[in-house]
Amino acid sequence: MRPNRDFIVFDFETGSRNPHKTQPTQIAAVAIHGRKLTPQPGGFFNSEIRPILDDDKAIEMGLDPVEDEALEITRKTRKNLAKAPQPKQVWQKFTEFVNKYNFKKTQWFAPIPVGYNIMYFDMIIVKRMCEQYGPTNKDGSQSLFSKINKVDVMDMAFSWLESNPDVKSLSLDALREYLAMDGENAHDALQDVKDTANIFIRFWKHQRKIGAKTKFEKAFADGNVYV
């Protein structure tokens, strides 16, 4: 099974913690070659996004106001964000970036999304953005990324490290510390994307190496099962 699909490692920075209502303030991504596991030439994307900074207007639109705590964590200011491109403009450019790596221009060959805790955060925002600005399928689901496959690096870390007492938690910051990564610019979307991509590539290469040497075919032919 050798899918001709690239990976897009991406990350949002946001103005609050609820993925269903938060306002994105930055999105960054890197495209990773599906077989070589190396960055594609010119395969980086990074842009701040202008949120609605008027709290009352944000609430009226069904969105969370931008929180000062979130701005402090991501080292952003309201003044600078007021000058950032509008969400629709950024999303259109991001979809163009992702579609460069959809070689057959069909969702079945669309890039596979990769990120840290994307299943419960970033992919929810992707769904919202696609519903608002496209692209979507006829049923309203996102059609930007692969319809089936997704890689959450936090789940990968759990599968490899869940019995390791030296791992303090599965937060990206804790994993950076355990893996001796710099972490100096953490919580900037582009830096988080680079760190997540490095962790993903390290784990994925390790999985491929072990998988190539492990025989699963007819593994239960002898009738021995676990349950």
Side-chain angles (χ1 to χ4, degrees):
M1 184 172 59
R2 290 179 175 267
N4 295 317
R5 289 171 292 168
D6 286 342
F7 301 98
I8 301 290
V9 185
F10 74 99
D11 180 61
F12 286 103
E13 298 298 343
T14 61
S16 62
R17 297 183 179 183
N18 182 350
H20 298 280
K21 298 175 67 177
T22 193
Q23 299 190 69
T25 57
Q26 184 185 6
I27 182 171
V30 57
I32 303 295
H33 191 285
R35 297 314 306 168
K36 298 177 183 178
L37 295 180
T38 56
Q40 289 280 26
F44 283 90
F45 181 92
N46 183 32
S47 179
E48 289 193 329
I49 306 172
R50 187 190 309 178
I52 299 172
L53 295 169
D54 183 303
D55 290 356
D56 292 334
K57 186 174 181 181
I59 293 170
E60 183 181 336
M61 298 291 291
L63 301 170
D64 285 341
V66 174
E67 299 173 359
D68 291 336
E69 180 184 3
L71 295 178
E72 183 177 350
I73 291 172
T74 60
R75 298 180 297 280
K76 300 187 186 303
T77 67
R78 296 176 186 272
K79 182 178 180 180
N80 287 340
L81 287 174
K83 301 174 184 177
Q86 295 283 1
K88 182 177 181 179
Q89 179 184 357
V90 176
W91 192 249
Q92 287 176 340
K93 290 184 177 180
F94 180 68
T95 57
E96 290 171 4
F97 169 80
V98 173
N99 285 331
K100 286 195 301 184
Y101 305 99
N102 185 340
F103 302 109
K104 294 196 176 182
K105 306 307 177 186
T106 168
Q107 193 175 13
W108 299 108
F109 286 87
I112 297 170
V114 181
Y116 209 89
N117 193 32
I118 60 167
M119 295 308 298
Y120 297 102
F121 196 80
D122 301 85
M123 285 304 296
I124 294 173
I125 301 174
V126 166
K127 179 177 183 293
R128 288 173 45 202
M129 300 294 276
C130 284
E131 287 174 347
Q132 190 167 3
Y133 305 118
T136 60
N137 295 304
K138 291 181 179 179
D139 63 1
S141 61
Q142 68 86 20
S143 62
L144 181 62
F145 291 110
S146 169
K147 191 177 183 67
I148 299 174
N149 302 114
K150 301 167 187 64
V151 180
D152 195 319
V153 178
M154 187 171 71
D155 288 341
M156 290 180 67
F158 173 74
S159 68
W160 285 105
L161 303 172
E162 53 87 19
S163 62
N164 189 326
D166 295 326
V167 179
K168 297 177 181 179
S169 78
L170 285 176
S171 71
L172 183 54
D173 286 336
L175 201 56
R176 283 187 180 108
E177 181 180 349
Y178 176 73
L179 297 173
M181 303 179 85
D182 189 308
E184 182 178 352
N185 295 315
H187 306 295
D188 171 78
L190 183 58
Q191 186 61 53
D192 288 354
V193 158
K194 290 178 180 178
D195 290 347
T196 300
N198 281 316
I199 296 168
F200 161 70
I201 291 170
R202 187 64 173 260
F203 278 127
W204 208 256
K205 284 186 173 182
H206 188 61
Q207 286 184 173
R208 283 183 176 177
K209 184 177 180 180
I210 293 176
K213 298 178 180 179
T214 304
K215 183 178 179 181
F216 291 105
E217 186 179 4
K218 299 181 180 179
F220 296 107
D222 58 5
N224 289 325
V225 295
Y226 302 113
V227 179

